[in-house]
Amino acid sequence: AQTVTQSQPEMSVQEAETVTLSCTYDTSESNYYLFWYKQPPSRQMILVIRQEAYKQQNATENRFSVNFQKAAKSFSLKISDSQLGDTAMYFCAFMKHPEYGNKLVFGAGTILRVKS
Amino acid sequence: GAVVSQHPSRVICKSGTSVKIECRSLDFQATTMFWYRQFPKQSLMLMATSNEGSKATYEQGVEKDKFLINHASLTLSTLTVTSAHPEDSSFYICSARQTGGNQPQHFGDGTRLSIL
């Protein structure tokens, strides 16, 4: 079974600074997908970024980028130029290749607070 | 695009009442929908996977007779909490996945269920 570990329950960052959220996972699969979801106080789950395991290039979405280390089974999220609206709970998630099912396995989450 | 609507957003009812929650994909067809439960400041726990036109697949420990799932069309899945009790109070979130390839799950806004 796959497991996802987020070792940072809470983090704080000053507005405009950069912060990195860590995520590690355990799987015997070779083909899979990794995601970062954001859940602001409104409770809606918002997809931030995703990475396909077969792609070596790290995914980027504007101020959000990942450091995907497949051998180390690590998938960290870097948020640059942090904004107050980035305050939320962030979940790292794993999904096997859709051919083998579509279930997401979530980490425990990291609460990120951006301070002005 | 890829909007998922969940209704109602908040329910308060007496113990013993059955409560139905709807999850609709508004602008895409979803052969698979997922139902999650989330306790405060915790991660999402997958309850069941709902497949259009067939029986839902429940995760271990989830009572199928307690949480009835119906996925009658490609855009609608419902979760009915039968004879709800205070311990069923929680935040319930649905998600829907577009058919094909590596499409991510898109989440509804969630339903806060409070049983008195």
Side-chain angles (χ1 to χ4, degrees):
Chain A
Q2 287 74 31
T3 58
V4 178
T5 302
Q6 292 179 249
S7 59
Q8 305 152 314
E10 297 189 27
M11 292 192 72
S12 294
V13 64
Q14 208 64 30
E15 198 175 8
E17 293 188 347
T18 295
V19 63
T20 299
L21 308 183
S22 65
C23 172
T24 58
Y25 57 95
D26 188 24
T27 184
S28 57
E29 303 289 329
S30 59
N31 197 7
Y32 50 87
Y33 300 90
L34 295 163
F35 305 86
W36 278 97
Y37 280 90
K38 165 186 175 181
Q39 188 179 40
S42 65
R43 304 300 295 272
Q44 184 185 20
M45 292 285 285
I46 302 166
L47 176 65
V48 175
I49 199 166
R50 61 178 168 177
Q51 175 81 41
E52 295 157 0
Y54 68 86
K55 290 186 177 179
Q56 292 185 340
Q57 188 173 7
N58 289 324
T60 61
E61 285 289 340
N62 300 313
R63 298 183 294 108
F64 299 89
S65 62
V66 298
N67 184 2
F68 173 48
Q69 301 290 327
K70 191 172 184 179
K73 295 180 182 175
S74 170
F75 183 61
S76 61
L77 174 69
K78 185 171 81 171
I79 305 174
S80 304
D81 186 25
S82 297
Q83 299 176 0
L84 295 177
D86 295 333
T87 293
M89 191 153 186
Y90 286 80
F91 293 100
C92 177
F94 172 100
M95 184 180 79
K96 290 197 293 187
H97 190 278
E99 182 179 341
Y100 304 105
N102 306 323
K103 291 196 291 187
L104 282 171
V105 178
F106 286 94
T110 297
I111 297 172
L112 175 67
R113 294 188 176 86
V114 180
K115 299 179 179 179
S116 58
Chain B
V3 177
V4 176
S5 173
Q6 188 172 340
H7 179 79
S9 58
R10 179 83 193 247
V11 179
I12 302 173
C13 58
K14 294 181 179 179
S15 184
T17 306
S18 291
V19 178
K20 180 185 283 189
I21 303 169
E22 292 187 348
C23 181
R24 294 180 185 273
S25 56
L26 297 186
D27 50 2
F28 66 96
Q29 293 186 330
T31 54
T32 305
M33 291 185 174
F34 302 86
W35 287 97
Y36 297 86
R37 184 172 181 176
Q38 185 181 29
F39 292 102
K41 294 189 177 180
Q42 292 189 24
S43 189
L44 279 70
M45 181 191 77
L46 179 65
M47 300 173 65
T49 302
S50 169
N51 295 297
E52 187 268 335
S54 64
K55 290 184 179 180
T57 303
Y58 289 81
E59 295 299 303
Q60 192 172 11
V62 178
E63 299 176 60
K64 58 183 68 176
D65 294 332
K66 175 73 169 178
F67 300 100
L68 299 179
I69 291 172
N70 183 280
H71 193 158
S73 78
L74 286 171
T75 59
L76 173 65
S77 176
T78 60
L79 168 68
T80 301
V81 184
T82 61
S83 187
H85 290 95
E87 58 267 27
D88 299 322
S89 298
S90 190
F91 191 67
Y92 293 87
I93 309 176
C94 74
S95 71
R97 184 176 176 276
Q98 292 173 268
T99 305
N102 62 349
Q103 297 297 326
Q105 292 184 24
H106 300 282
F107 288 81
D109 289 347
T111 297
R112 164 123 359 251
L113 175 62
S114 299
I115 308 298
L116 305 177

